[in-house]
Amino acid sequence: MSALISIDGLRMTYGRDVVLSGVNLKVQPAEILTIVGPNGSGKSTLLRAIVGAEKPKAGRIERSPELRIGYVPQKMAVDTRLPLSVLRFLRLPNHSSSAAVAALKQVGAEAMVKRALADLSGGQLQRVMLARALLGAPNLLLLDEPTQGLDQPGSAALYKLIEGLRDDLGCAIMMVSHELHVVMSASDRVICLNGHVCCEGHPDVVASAPEYRALFGSGTGGALALYRHEHTHHHHDHDGDDHDHVHGHTHAE
Amino acid sequence: MMATTMTMSTGTPMLNDFLVRAALAAVGVAAAAAPLGCFVIWRRMAYFSDATAHAALLGVAIALTLQAPIFPTVLVVSLAAAVIVTQIAGREMASDTALGVIAHGALALGLVAVSLVDVRIDVDAFLFGDVLAVTRGDLGVIWLGAFAVVSLVVWRWSAWLLVVLSPDLARAQGLDPKREELILTLALAIVVAVAIQVVGALLIASLLIIPAAAARPWAKSPEWMATIAGGIGIASALGGLQVALWADTPAGPSIVVVAVFIFTISTLAATLRYGWGGSS
C-alpha cells in the first residue's frame, strides 16, 4: 500500500526561529505512529503542517489522493460565554445530526449529546473532540496530546479507545504524546522529535536509542525518563538488563 | 434643550418624522450590532472593537479635511485601523497592553486631528452621537449598512463559530481563519461607520457588548444568544430614545444607559434563578 502522507525535507519556522528542519516521514495506512519529544520540539507544528494550518518554509508534504484527515487540535477554547451543545458543536459547519450522534456512539459518548460543551470534563471533551474527528470518515487521525489533563485511568481508557478505533475503522493514527510509558506499548512506530527526527522505529528500538536517552534522560525530561526507565526495567528484567536499571535511577535524582 | 423643544411640539408631522427617523436609525444600528457583539464577546475582542471605534474619529477628521463624505471615509479608516491593529496585536488578539495603547491613542489622535481641521464642527456629535439629526439619506446608509452586517453574520455564522472554538479545527475543515477574521473585521468596521452618528465613537463598543452579555444567561444556543441580544439591542434603542425625550438627556448615552439597566436586571434575575456563575 502506498503511504497516506510522505513528508520530504520539511522545514518550518516561526519568525526567525526554526522549529523543524529536514524532516522526512511517511505515514502508512492503519499504523499507529506516535511522536514524542520535549516541549517546543515541533511536535504540534508537524501535525499542524500536515493539516495545512501552517505553511512549510521548505520541503514537501505529499498527501495521498484518498487521504481524509480527522484532527484533534491541542487546545480548544471552550468558554462558558458561548452557549453550545455537544450536538451543535459536532454539526459545525454542516454535518448532519445523525452523523454526529453516530460519531458520539463510536467513542462511547452518546450520553453527552445534549450537554453544554463548556460543562464537560476533560475526558468527556476529548471524547467529543475524537467524535468530531471521526465525522469525515477519516483514514488518518491526527491527535495532538489527546490525553492532556486526564488522570491515569482516564488516559488509559482513551488510549484503549483509540486503539479500538484503529482496529474498527482501519484508519492510521498519528499522535503526539507525553505519556511515554503508555504510548510506547500501544504504538507500531515511535518518532522522537527535537527540531528534527532524532530517531525512529519500533518502540523498543527508540527507547534504547542514545538520542532518545539524551533527550529524556536529563533536564525537564527527567520525570518522564524515570517513567520510561521503570517501564524498561520491568520489560527487560528477565533479560537481566541491569545497566538500564542503574541508568534509570541515576536520572531519577 | 433641543429635546425639550421637541417634546412640546410632538404634534406636528414634520417633527414626528424627525423622531421616527431617529428611532429607525437607532433600531437599525442596535439590531446589527447586537448579533455581531456576540462574536466580540466570544472572541474576546472588546478592546479591539474599542480601538476600531475610536479610529472612526480619525476617519471623521480625514473626511472633513478632504471634504469627503463621512460614512465611506470612516468605514475605510476604521477597517484600515482594525487590520493594522490585528497585525500589531498579534495572532491571538489578546495583547491587552498593545490594544489599550492603540484604542486610546487612536481616540486622542482623532481628537487632535479634528481640532486641527479648519471646518468648525461639533465634536460632541461624533463622540456621543447625534441621532436626532439623522436625515433620510443617513437613514438609508444606516439601514444598508445594518443589512450588510446582518447578512455577513448570517452567511459566516457556522464558520465563525468554528474559528472561535479553534482556528486549527476550522482550517482542518477547509476554512481559512485569516479570511474569516477579515470578514468579521469588515462587519465590525461597518457597524462602527453606521453607529457613530447614533451613539458616537465613545459608546459604539457598548452597543456591541452589552446586549450580547445581557442575553447570555438566557440563551441555550449561539443562535438564540444572537436573537435575544438583537431584541435587547432594539429595546435599548427605543427605550433610550424615550428616556432622552422624557428627561431631556443626550440620546446616545441614554440608549447605552438603558442597555446597562437591562443587563443588570438580566444578570440579577439569572443569579436568582441559577445561582452565581450557573448560567448555562
Side-chain angles (χ1 to χ4, degrees):
Chain A
M1 276 189 283
S2 61
L4 291 171
I5 287 183
S6 306
I7 296 173
D8 189 28
L10 180 70
R11 182 183 178 85
M12 303 288 294
T13 55
Y14 280 119
R16 276 177 223 150
D17 297 332
V18 177
V19 184
L20 288 173
S21 65
V23 174
N24 301 316
L25 173 68
K26 278 190 199 314
V27 183
Q28 303 297 339
E31 72 167 331
I32 296 187
L33 171 62
T34 301
I35 303 166
V36 300
N39 288 333
S41 58
K43 305 185 296 288
S44 293
T45 305
L46 179 58
L47 255 54
R48 299 184 72 230
I50 293 174
V51 175
E54 298 282 344
K55 284 207 170 57
K57 190 79 180 172
R60 294 165 53 81
I61 300 177
E62 227 167 275
R63 299 170 177 87
S64 148
E66 297 99 67
L67 180 68
R68 293 180 308 277
I69 290 179
Y71 176 49
V72 176
Q74 189 176 19
K75 56 174 187 245
M76 192 176 77
V78 184
D79 197 300
T80 51
R81 282 173 295 190
L82 176 60
L84 196 67
S85 70
V86 166
L87 181 65
R88 188 74 184 81
F89 167 62
L90 290 176
R91 290 187 53 205
L92 286 174
N94 47 22
H95 298 294
S96 75
S97 288
S98 53
V101 172
L104 278 175
K105 279 199 180 121
Q106 278 182 304
V107 300
E110 60 267 42
M112 305 287 117
V113 67
K114 282 187 177 150
R115 295 272 301 276
L117 205 58
D119 291 347
L120 299 182
S121 72
Q124 290 167 338
L125 183 62
Q126 287 301 336
R127 274 170 195 261
V128 169
M129 296 292 285
L130 204 53
R132 195 190 154 80
L134 294 176
L135 276 171
N139 52 11
L140 173 62
L141 277 178
L142 295 178
L143 313 176
D144 201 343
E145 296 194 37
T147 60
Q148 59 177 319
L150 303 190
D151 56 11
Q152 253 185 342
S155 51
L158 198 71
Y159 281 124
K160 210 169 168 184
L161 173 68
I162 291 169
E163 238 182 316
L165 286 174
R166 190 268 303 259
D167 297 341
D168 294 346
L169 306 174
C171 58
I173 290 167
M174 181 172 178
M175 64 181 160
V176 166
S177 182
H178 274 132
E179 286 157 308
L180 307 177
H181 56 299
V182 188
V183 154
M184 289 292 198
S185 58
S187 308
D188 299 320
R189 200 150 63 96
V190 174
I191 287 180
C192 180
L193 201 66
N194 191 23
H196 60 282
V197 176
C198 297
C199 52
E200 66 166 300
H202 190 270
D204 287 342
V205 177
V206 171
S208 54
E211 296 90 343
Y212 177 83
R213 294 293 173 82
L215 271 182
F216 289 102
S218 60
T220 52
L224 293 172
L226 171 64
Y227 241 131
R228 178 55 199 163
H229 285 298
E230 277 189 340
H231 184 71
T232 314
H233 167 60
H234 284 299
H235 236 264
H236 292 262
D237 217 15
H238 315 288
D239 309 330
D241 195 343
D242 277 334
H243 174 71
D244 232 338
H245 190 177
V246 174
H247 208 74
H249 274 282
T250 319
H251 288 302
E253 280 147 20
Chain B
M1 274 284 284
M2 196 164 61
T4 320
T5 327
M6 241 166 24
T7 336
M8 291 193 306
S9 46
T10 332
T12 61
M14 194 193 81
L15 287 181
N16 267 340
D17 195 35
F18 189 87
L19 272 181
V20 167
R21 282 204 303 270
L24 284 176
V27 163
V29 167
L36 189 66
C38 293
F39 284 101
V40 172
I41 286 188
W42 296 332
R43 288 217 64 191
R44 301 166 185 259
M45 294 164 75
Y47 244 150
F48 179 79
S49 62
D50 245 352
T52 311
H54 290 177
L57 206 61
L58 198 59
V60 169
I62 292 173
L64 292 174
T65 309
L66 301 177
Q67 292 184 311
I70 300 244
F71 172 80
T73 315
V74 168
L75 178 61
V76 169
V77 171
S78 296
L79 186 60
V83 170
I84 293 168
V85 168
T86 310
Q87 297 303 320
I88 293 175
R91 37 183 91 211
E92 289 296 317
M93 279 200 195
S95 168
D96 245 21
T97 315
L99 283 177
V101 170
I102 295 165
H104 296 107
L107 182 62
L109 195 63
L111 284 170
V112 169
V114 165
S115 79
L116 287 178
V117 175
D118 273 344
V119 194
R120 273 189 62 86
I121 55 147
D122 180 13
V123 183
D124 281 5
F126 296 105
L127 286 177
F128 305 110
D130 193 6
V131 72
L132 298 175
V134 164
T135 66
R136 272 173 203 282
D138 294 337
L139 197 56
V141 170
I142 286 172
W143 272 83
L144 212 63
F147 179 75
V149 169
V150 172
S151 305
L152 285 177
V153 170
V154 170
W155 175 45
R156 300 320 298 164
W157 183 263
S158 291
W160 287 356
L161 278 178
L162 211 48
V163 173
V164 163
L165 285 161
S166 162
D168 283 355
L169 219 48
R171 174 74 74 171
Q173 202 75 47
L175 297 165
D176 180 353
K178 285 249 181 296
R179 173 174 169 266
E180 301 302 334
E181 198 168 81
L182 192 66
I183 302 174
L184 180 60
T185 305
L186 174 67
L188 201 61
I190 298 175
V191 162
V192 166
V194 297
I196 190 166
Q197 196 173 8
V198 176
V199 288
L202 287 181
L203 292 172
I204 290 172
S206 58
L207 219 51
L208 288 160
I209 293 160
I210 299 171
R216 172 60 192 100
W218 313 104
K220 293 279 183 227
S221 72
E223 293 77 13
W224 264 112
M225 182 160 155
T227 310
I228 298 172
I232 292 174
I234 291 170
S236 308
L238 294 175
L241 276 179
Q242 194 63 253
V243 167
L245 288 180
W246 281 339
D248 190 17
T249 50
S254 302
I255 291 172
V256 176
V257 165
V258 171
V260 169
F261 180 72
I262 295 175
F263 169 80
T264 310
I265 299 290
S266 162
T267 308
L268 285 176
T271 308
L272 286 176
R273 180 145 175 208
Y274 301 111
W276 284 111
S279 56
S280 51

